[in-house]
Amino acid sequence: MKLTTLITTGLITLWSSMLLAQNARFTTSGTVEYEKTVNMFAMLKKRINKDNESYLQPAYDQYRRSQPQFKKLTSTLTFDDNKTLYTPNPDNGPQNFWGSGMVPQNNTVAADLNAGTSVTQKKVYEETFLVRDSLRKIKWKITDETREIAGFACRRANAIVMDSIYVVAFYTDQIAVSGGPESFTGLPGMILGVALPHENISWFATKVTDVPVPPNKLAPPTKGKPLDNKGLRATLEKAMDDWGEYAKDEYKAYML
């Protein structure tokens, strides 16, 4: 190949890269709308065993006949200045579902990513807690898998949280905020998708809006019994001491 051809090819590649960079979408302030999907059939089926099948199997069969397989719930993440506020949609309706505390959206989560702290309002049955603590430290393993979510190019990362919950996340570096739904943070960009395959639950962004966000829209929640994560764990363990096998799933749901 002639030198002039090599130079021309190099210039074309450089110009193409510059045009792509100019047209790329980068967001630092706005909102992300998420849809939480729960596979109710799979979740409820796992709760049936030889000790309870006489009454849970008929209840499960009736549920399958009368209810949709997938429960859908929505939420919004507002972000600006490396702060985020994740809030469930009040229009989701009643949050009491047969099966598991994993189903409803119990948490309002304010995260200060610079300070590494969070304030989480957690609804646990009839009681509300206000949990102030450090952000959960998640050891992500970034992979080469990619997909598009809500118009953004995303990369996959995997992790284990709470010693046993396998997490698949998809993040985009086109949103320069290391936040995400619920308590999932710590990747080099906004997390637009989270799946907990073994828990039959996922959160995926359906829309991202690039708009200025005033500081009052990121104010953390203030109502609830004040605790840190250690205090919440102790409270839950005491309350569920005699719950047997069901305690594990419920504890996992409310500590997530």
Side-chain angles (χ1 to χ4, degrees):
M1 184 180 291
K2 293 182 179 180
L3 180 60
T4 54
T5 303
L6 286 172
I7 293 173
T8 301
T9 302
L11 287 173
I12 291 172
T13 301
L14 177 61
W15 289 335
S16 298
S17 299
M18 291 174 65
L19 286 172
L20 286 172
Q22 289 174 355
N23 293 325
R25 182 180 177 188
F26 294 98
T27 304
T28 59
S29 177
T31 61
V32 183
E33 297 176 24
Y34 292 93
E35 182 176 74
K36 179 181 180 180
T37 302
V38 185
N39 185 337
M40 295 297 295
F41 291 0
M43 181 177 286
L44 298 176
K45 181 68 174 178
K46 289 190 295 189
R47 296 182 74 90
I48 301 173
N49 56 50
K50 60 183 179 60
D51 296 322
N52 60 33
E53 62 183 353
S54 61
Y55 57 90
L56 277 192
Q57 185 65 51
Y60 169 73
D61 293 339
Q62 176 59 32
Y63 188 94
R64 284 182 62 97
R65 289 192 293 268
S66 61
Q67 300 294 329
Q69 179 175 0
F70 297 100
K71 180 67 182 177
K72 304 281 188 177
L73 300 166
T74 57
S75 56
T76 301
L77 182 76
T78 305
F79 62 95
D80 182 60
D81 193 27
N82 239 17
K83 294 181 180 179
T84 65
L85 180 64
Y86 175 80
T87 54
N89 188 335
D91 295 332
N92 282 322
Q95 292 287 288
N96 296 318
F97 305 111
W98 176 57
S100 170
M102 283 282 196
V103 181
Q105 298 199 127
N106 303 302
N107 305 326
T108 297
V109 186
D112 185 328
L113 301 169
N114 288 332
T117 58
S118 66
V119 179
T120 304
Q121 185 182 71
K122 287 181 175 281
K123 295 181 179 179
V124 182
Y125 298 104
E126 302 303 319
E127 193 160 5
T128 300
F129 298 98
L130 193 66
V131 184
R132 299 177 184 271
D133 215 315
S134 301
L135 292 173
R136 171 179 281 137
K137 291 179 173 59
I138 302 175
K139 294 182 179 180
W140 295 105
K141 181 179 180 181
I142 297 174
T143 75
D144 293 329
E145 183 179 339
T146 60
R147 65 180 289 181
E148 183 177 302
I149 301 173
F152 288 83
C154 296
R155 183 175 295 276
R156 175 174 172 169
N158 305 324
I160 301 291
V161 300
M162 295 174 60
D163 298 326
S164 62
I165 300 177
Y166 177 54
V167 182
V168 176
F170 290 90
Y171 73 94
T172 178
D173 58 10
Q174 292 174 273
I175 302 178
V177 178
S178 298
E182 295 285 354
S183 60
F184 298 104
T185 63
L187 282 165
M190 182 65 74
I191 298 172
L192 296 183
V194 174
L196 311 182
H198 303 307
E199 314 302 328
N200 311 113
I201 298 172
S202 67
W203 294 261
F204 278 89
T206 56
K207 182 181 180 181
V208 177
T209 305
D210 184 358
V211 293
V213 175
N216 66 309
K217 294 295 185 181
L218 294 165
T222 58
K223 296 181 180 180
K225 180 180 178 181
L227 288 173
D228 57 11
N229 282 321
K230 183 178 180 180
L232 180 62
R233 282 194 295 270
T235 299
L236 292 174
E237 288 170 357
K238 182 178 180 181
M240 300 175 185
D241 184 55
D242 58 353
W243 286 29
E245 63 179 290
Y246 296 110
K248 182 180 179 180
D249 287 341
E250 294 303 282
Y251 173 81
K252 188 163 49 177
Y254 290 111
M255 287 302 300
L256 186 62

